[in-house]
Amino acid sequence: DAKTTQPPSMDCAEGRAANLPCNHSTISGNEYVYWYRQIHSQGPQYIIHGLKNNETNEMASLIITEDRKSSTLILPHATLRDTAVYYCIVSPGAPGQGGKLIFGQGTELSVKP
Amino acid sequence: SAVISQKPSRDICQRGTSLTIQCQVDSQVTMMFWYRQQPGQSLTLIATANQGSEATYESGFVIDKFPISRPNLTFSTLTVSNMSPEDSSIYLCSVVLRGGLQSYEQYFGPGTRLTVT
């Protein structure tokens, strides 16, 4: 499985966009990029995933570079409730198609007033 | 999405004993997994719970220590056997749902916080 590299921590001002980077330089063609977050004392929460194209949903946007070696999760207007550990994961195929999520250390995002 | 419940939510156990954790989902799911999260650490995949057959364990985890059952498509149990303080962790159940054509999403339960004394 491809490994990911994320900064261990980041700060963001409330109301501003939070841009969380992830490097996955060894990603292979059939591997998806997933983002999850874990708010303290809760189970991880699915945010978004993508293969090649940029994706957007009600929570966030995912920007994947053309060579797919890195990606950025964007929270457009961060709130205090977005304070969490954010995990970038690459998985060979989608879950249910042989893929399984292997978690790295993630980025601890602190949103400050 | 899926509603996942785990029982117990937390427990304090004595070393040498065993604890069985239950995971119940409100809909039939294609896959179920068990993870462990040690204090201050990220999640580690223990095993894939297979319906009607033996679980598939990740490196470093064995059936004798973490027996798993999955009798149907909505329920699974994880037993932590012969516990030691090193087993103190949060244990999380996770399920995969088909979100749409060629799309799958994985959801996590609230976790069971286990402390072994």
Side-chain angles (χ1 to χ4, degrees), chain A residues 69-93:
Chain A
K69 293 185 177 181
S70 65
S71 60
T72 301
L73 179 74
I74 301 172
L75 308 178
H77 306 287
T79 70
L80 299 179
R81 288 177 294 181
D82 292 322
T83 292
V85 178
Y86 287 77
Y87 295 99
C88 169
I89 304 165
V90 292
S91 180

Side-chain angles (χ1 to χ4, degrees), chain A residues 10-50:
Chain A
M10 292 181 62
D11 290 340
C12 178
E14 187 178 19
R16 303 294 294 270
N19 297 283
L20 292 91
C22 180
N23 286 322
H24 31 79
S25 59
T26 60
I27 192 170
S28 59
N30 68 338
E31 289 183 315
Y32 288 71
V33 179
Y34 289 83
W35 283 84
Y36 280 74
R37 73 179 182 184
Q38 187 174 27
I39 296 170
H40 183 62
S41 297
Q42 298 182 22
Q45 176 189 22
Y46 167 82
I47 301 174
I48 199 167
H49 76 280

Side-chain angles (χ1 to χ4, degrees), chain B residues 100-117:
Chain B
L101 185 63
Q102 297 298 317
S103 173
Y104 297 84
E105 295 177 357
Q106 187 165 345
Y107 297 92
F108 288 80
T112 295
R113 185 180 295 273
L114 171 62
T115 301
V116 183
T117 61

Side-chain angles (χ1 to χ4, degrees), chain B residues 31-32 48-57 68-72:
Chain B
M31 299 183 76
M32 297 181 79
T48 303
N50 300 310
Q51 195 257 329
S53 64
E54 192 172 288
T56 304
Y57 290 84
I68 289 171
S69 77
R70 189 181 172 193
N72 55 51

Side-chain angles (χ1 to χ4, degrees), chain B residues 1 5 8 11 22 34 41 43 49 52 55 62 69 82 96-97 101 108:
Chain B
S1 64
S5 60
D11 207 342
Q22 299 180 2
W34 286 97
Q41 301 297 314
L43 284 80
V62 295
S69 77
N82 188 25
V96 172
L97 287 179
L101 185 63
F108 288 80

Side-chain angles (χ1 to χ4, degrees), chain B residues 36-39 84-91 114-117:
Chain B
R36 178 176 74 181
Q37 188 169 28
Q38 295 174 300
S84 67
E86 292 72 34
D87 294 320
S88 297
S89 295
I90 299 173
Y91 291 86
L114 171 62
T115 301
V116 183
T117 61

